[in-house]
Amino acid sequence: MKTLELAPKAKYLLMVEDTASVAALYKSFLTPLGIDVQIVGTGKKALETLTNRIPDLILLDLRLPDMTGMDVLHSVKALYPDVPIIFMTAHGSIDTAVDAMRYGAQDFLIKPCEADRLRVTVNNAIRRAGKIKDGESESAASVSSVNNYQGFIGSSQNMLSVYKTIDSAATSKASIFITGESGTGKEVCAEAIHAASHRREKPFIAINCAAIPKDLIESELFGHVKGAFTGAATERQGAAEMADGGTLFLDELCEMDLDLQTKLLRFIQTGTFQKVGSSKMKSVDVRFVCATNKDPWQEVLGGRFREDLYYRLYVIPLHLPPLRDRGEDVIEIAYSLLGYMTLEEQKSFTRFAQDVVDRFIAYEWPGNVRQLQNVIRNAVVLNHGKEITLNMLPPPINQVSTEIALGNKEQEFLSEERITRTLLSADEITPLWQVEKETIEQAIQACGGNIPKAANALEVSPSTIYRKKQSWT
């Protein structure tokens, strides 16, 4: 008798939304995920539905015609505490939604919700709930998502510390100094701080100190009056004035010219500034969030950053960990990116092959999340199918690990099994250091002399190659 293979059961989502047109729209947004979506319009109907089938996720409107979303939340959690709930709320009810998370809601979405945001949030919530069902610890699988909705994805211990710092510091006016490698999400972090603060209804203004020419950055920061310099045909507001009442984010601050650092220090101390070409003082109320991919104290010691400005701004330090230190966060982020890019490029990818997942976790990611974005975009654009496989990834991610043993692998070359397999006599064995030297030099040459790129290809750190090269001289 032939055994039938049953297809995996579709995930079931209960949407509690009383506006039929909105519910139909959101259901259409979720169609690409292959989820079974049931829509009900009242809280009473939602609770009745639970007696027939337990959903994998509930999308719950905060305002319903017969009861509040909070009432539904309490009733569901009393009966089925493991069912994840995501609130849908208008902008004016964000505080209520945040309160709901203290009583067991997993996340919330602000209406109107874009298709990509809805799909990413739903997909992550279902995957996280699945991990808990499979026996993973709840602390590892579920995260207080009050900041996740701002763009962060991940539940590693390192990121939990980041979320906690944001929660604690967001409501203060104290300056926050974000550090971290390029591509770790420093601007996303700054936006999350702003969104969690009392200033969230006011502007968030970002200025990249490294991207603006030295002779224009003062005008970008403070603005200018008409005729202040050649080309100043009209008066212009600067970032400081536009951020009044809100948050001013100074990215790559350590790249700012020392002369302008002096003016910035006075602005921070007094809250006043002058537009370029003006003698009139302006006063504003802004909260400062700064960021750099360098060590700010080393910049002070090197004479490139003012020490008094450092002490003024380095009040609450917040370090963003590199992607290689975030464990399985890379997979959560990768799946979110895959869903977004698949829809944007009108492809049909839904998953990663297991060897891709293993490679993503093991890879060092020198370019962090930005590099991961590029890798997935490359694979999605240039290929077709349901599954991303290892051969679809661009180099060096797709390259099989080299058998050249560096560092901890050196003993492998001395194993009796390898010598027997290659059928070499003792006189024919090439010394290990010479094999390493030839392989490393070939990799450097193949990468056009770029040592970090060669290190990625060999799957070692650049410092290993530098150390080896020094030992050969």
Side-chain angles (χ1 to χ4, degrees):
M1 182 176 177
K2 188 176 180 181
T3 304
L4 293 177
E5 254 187 36
L6 297 177
K9 193 174 181 181
K11 296 296 183 181
Y12 166 49
L13 182 148
L14 177 63
M15 187 186 304
V16 189
E17 167 60 65
D18 63 317
T19 306
S21 59
V22 172
L25 177 64
Y26 287 175
K27 183 176 180 179
S28 71
F29 287 169
L30 296 172
T31 299
L33 298 181
I35 295 173
D36 180 10
V37 179
Q38 181 177 356
I39 299 170
V40 296
T42 65
K44 181 181 178 183
K45 185 65 177 174
L47 296 175
E48 290 174 353
T49 303
L50 292 177
T51 61
N52 300 321
R53 186 179 177 188
I54 307 300
D56 295 288
L57 178 67
I58 297 176
L59 274 180
L60 178 60
D61 192 12
L62 193 58
R63 296 182 180 180
L64 297 167
D66 59 336
M67 62 178 75
T68 68
M70 289 293 286
D71 293 333
V72 177
L73 171 69
H74 291 314
S75 297
V76 171
K77 287 299 177 183
L79 296 169
Y80 309 102
D82 294 333
V83 174
I85 297 175
I86 294 176
F87 267 95
M88 299 183 293
T89 180
H91 227 291
S93 304
I94 291 176
D95 289 342
T96 307
V98 172
D99 286 339
M101 297 182 69
R102 298 193 183 101
Y103 295 100
Q106 188 178 99
D107 205 343
F108 67 88
L109 291 162
I110 299 172
K111 296 165 65 177
C113 181
E114 294 181 355
D116 293 330
R117 184 72 242 169
L118 178 63
R119 280 187 284 257
V120 166
T121 303
V122 166
N123 197 36
N124 285 340
I126 289 176
R127 288 182 68 247
R128 193 177 299 127
K131 285 183 178 182
I132 295 173
K133 278 185 181 179
D134 291 341
E136 292 190 17
S137 66
E138 188 164 351
S139 62
S142 64
V143 181
S144 174
S145 302
V146 68
N147 297 305
N148 282 13
Y149 83 99
Q150 295 299 332
F152 279 121
I153 297 170
S155 53
S156 63
Q157 222 33 63
N158 285 336
M159 290 309 294
L160 287 174
S161 297
V162 170
Y163 302 154
K164 184 177 179 182
T165 302
I166 292 174
D167 280 339
S168 301
T171 55
S172 167
K173 195 185 174 181
S175 300
I176 297 180
F177 209 125
I178 306 167
T179 56
E181 296 176 8
S182 293
T184 49
K186 294 188 286 295
E187 185 163 353
V188 173
C189 184
E191 290 175 347
I193 293 166
H194 174 74
S197 74
H198 300 312
R199 297 170 176 261
R200 57 180 169 266
E201 301 298 331
K202 297 295 184 178
F204 172 85
I205 304 297
I207 182 169
N208 190 320
C209 302
I212 302 169
K214 176 182 174 181
D215 53 345
L216 292 180
I217 192 167
E218 183 177 359
S219 172
E220 289 291 324
L221 184 58
F222 298 127
H224 62 254
V225 297
K226 182 178 178 180
F229 50 84
T230 303
T234 59
E235 186 168 344
R236 184 181 184 280
Q237 278 190 330
E241 191 171 359
M242 289 189 286
D244 191 16
T247 302
L248 179 60
F249 175 50
L250 301 172
D251 197 8
E252 304 301 349
L253 180 63
C254 290
E255 303 296 331
M256 182 179 284
D257 183 72
L258 283 168
D259 291 338
L260 188 55
Q261 288 181 28
T262 304
K263 295 182 180 180
L264 177 63
L265 177 63
R266 190 165 72 175
F267 170 45
I268 295 168
Q269 289 173 329
T270 65
T272 61
F273 65 92
Q274 290 175 294
K275 288 186 173 183
V276 177
S278 173
S279 59
K280 184 180 178 182
M281 300 295 294
K282 279 187 170 287
S283 178
V284 293
D285 171 30
V286 298
R287 199 264 182 90
F288 294 95
V289 179
C290 308
T292 181
N293 60 4
K294 300 179 178 179
D295 181 335
W297 182 243
Q298 290 301 317
E299 295 300 296
V300 171
L301 296 178
R304 295 176 294 275
F305 193 64
R306 289 183 61 105
E307 186 174 359
D308 46 6
L309 183 58
Y310 169 87
Y311 286 120
R312 177 64 67 172
L313 290 174
Y314 205 78
V315 180
I316 300 175
L318 179 56
H319 181 71
L320 291 182
L323 190 56
R324 61 182 170 275
D325 292 341
R326 293 178 56 182
E328 293 195 4
D329 282 0
V330 65
I331 305 305
E332 285 197 44
I333 298 168
Y335 266 106
S336 296
L337 292 170
L338 181 66
Y340 171 78
M341 292 175 183
T342 293
L343 291 162
E344 187 175 61
E345 300 294 338
Q346 298 183 342
K347 297 295 182 74
S348 55
F349 291 108
T350 60
R351 60 187 178 271
F352 297 103
Q354 187 56 49
D355 55 355
V356 172
V357 171
D358 295 340
R359 181 61 56 88
F360 278 180
I361 293 174
Y363 188 64
E364 290 254 323
W365 298 110
N368 293 295
V369 178
R370 192 175 294 125
Q371 183 186 9
L372 178 61
Q373 289 175 328
N374 293 341
V375 165
I376 295 175
R377 169 96 48 197
N378 179 288
V380 169
V381 170
L382 298 181
N383 298 281
H384 299 276
K386 293 285 187 182
E387 183 177 76
I388 298 288
T389 57
L390 195 60
N391 66 315
M392 293 180 182
L393 303 180
I397 311 292
N398 64 349
Q399 294 175 356
V400 179
S401 301
T402 178
E403 289 188 339
I404 301 305
L406 298 174
N408 294 332
K409 296 182 180 179
E410 289 180 355
Q411 293 303 316
E412 184 181 333
F413 278 88
L414 302 179
S415 71
E416 196 170 288
E417 181 184 348
R418 283 188 66 90
I419 294 172
T420 303
R421 187 167 65 244
T422 54
L423 301 176
L424 295 175
S425 68
D427 295 336
E428 294 174 317
I429 296 174
T430 304
L432 178 60
W433 71 267
Q434 191 173 332
V435 176
E436 287 183 349
K437 182 174 185 293
E438 290 173 359
T439 303
I440 290 173
E441 287 176 343
Q442 288 171 3
I444 294 171
Q445 185 178 4
C447 295
N450 187 321
I451 289 180
K453 188 176 179 181
N456 285 338
L458 292 169
E459 297 190 353
V460 297
S461 66
S463 61
T464 298
I465 293 183
Y466 286 120
R467 189 176 67 252
K468 296 285 184 182
K469 282 173 65 68
Q470 192 172 22
S471 69
W472 300 331
T473 57

